[in-house]
Amino acid sequence: MKTEQTFKTKTGFCHITEDKIILTRDGIIGNVAELTTGNNIVRLLIIYGLIASLMIYNAYGDFKNENWLFFGLYLIGGIYLTYTVFKSINLSATPIIERNKIKNVEFKPAKKFLTRSYFKVDFEQNVGKIKSRLIMLPGSLNDGTNETEKAIGIMKNAGLIKNNVG
């Protein structure tokens, strides 16, 4: 393996080095500190939780007023956001993952016209908790098929995923 290999992601670039996976916005490894998301997604999940609570509260009000259309819409939206929050609790937005802390890397192919391809990287944090980082690949409007093939090749060459992918 070369000392560093890079492929495009949905929001920037992923650099695979011998000891780390580094995600950057502009392709320059030195600019990792400028990422605005930070190391976790707790703030975003709290906002989603508050919006879900507001939607469920509105659904209750519409239920009392027998406004069935908005009751259904608010209830479905609130339940979906609540589900998303609980599903996302174990995700991380860390831009640097140490390769010796990686437990598993899994490739998830895109569902045509619905989702993007992505890698799910399970890794151990400093405190011993297992977290997952999603590395979203470019979509079909951004040469997604070629970039996905390139990313899979780089991940295979780095020994992060098995050869039976895709």
Side-chain angles (χ1 to χ4, degrees):
M1 183 178 115
K2 298 177 191 174
T3 55
E4 176 193 329
Q5 294 182 334
T6 304
F7 60 87
K8 286 185 183 178
T9 65
K10 175 185 171 190
T11 58
F13 297 88
C14 179
H15 307 270
I16 309 293
T17 65
E18 292 182 17
D19 60 339
K20 296 177 185 171
I21 295 177
I22 304 170
L23 295 148
T24 62
R25 295 226 187 258
D26 58 4
I28 302 170
I29 292 180
N31 293 345
V32 172
E34 295 177 12
L35 286 175
T36 58
T37 313
N39 194 6
N40 57 44
I41 58 173
V42 172
R43 192 173 355 148
L44 187 61
L45 294 179
I46 289 171
I47 292 170
Y48 281 168
L50 290 173
I51 292 171
S53 300
L54 179 64
M55 291 181 89
I56 291 172
Y57 176 78
N58 284 339
Y60 175 70
D62 286 329
F63 175 76
K64 283 184 6 181
N65 294 332
E66 297 182 7
N67 187 353
W68 304 118
L69 176 65
F70 284 103
F71 163 71
L73 292 174
Y74 281 133
L75 186 65
I76 290 170
I79 290 171
Y80 177 74
L81 277 176
T82 303
Y83 167 75
T84 303
V85 167
F86 283 109
K87 185 178 163 188
S88 301
I89 285 175
N90 229 11
L91 296 179
S92 174
T94 185
I96 300 173
I97 302 170
E98 302 283 336
R99 290 210 26 199
N100 60 354
K101 303 270 183 165
I102 294 175
K103 302 297 181 194
N104 184 37
V105 178
E106 196 176 337
F107 174 72
K108 300 284 187 168
K111 293 178 182 143
K112 196 165 183 100
F113 303 115
L114 292 175
T115 62
R116 295 174 183 265
S117 299
Y118 64 92
F119 293 104
K120 181 181 176 199
V121 181
D122 298 325
F123 64 98
E124 183 178 340
Q125 285 188 320
N126 294 338
V127 291
K129 292 171 71 176
I130 302 294
K131 290 283 191 173
S132 296
R133 174 66 157 107
L134 301 181
I135 302 173
M136 303 294 286
L137 299 173
S140 58
L141 298 177
N142 298 322
D143 198 22
T145 305
N146 293 332
E147 291 297 331
T148 298
E149 290 173 9
K150 178 182 174 186
I152 290 172
I154 289 172
M155 293 295 250
K156 282 181 184 176
N157 288 340
L160 292 169
I161 57 175
K162 310 295 183 265
N163 286 333
N164 58 359
V165 171

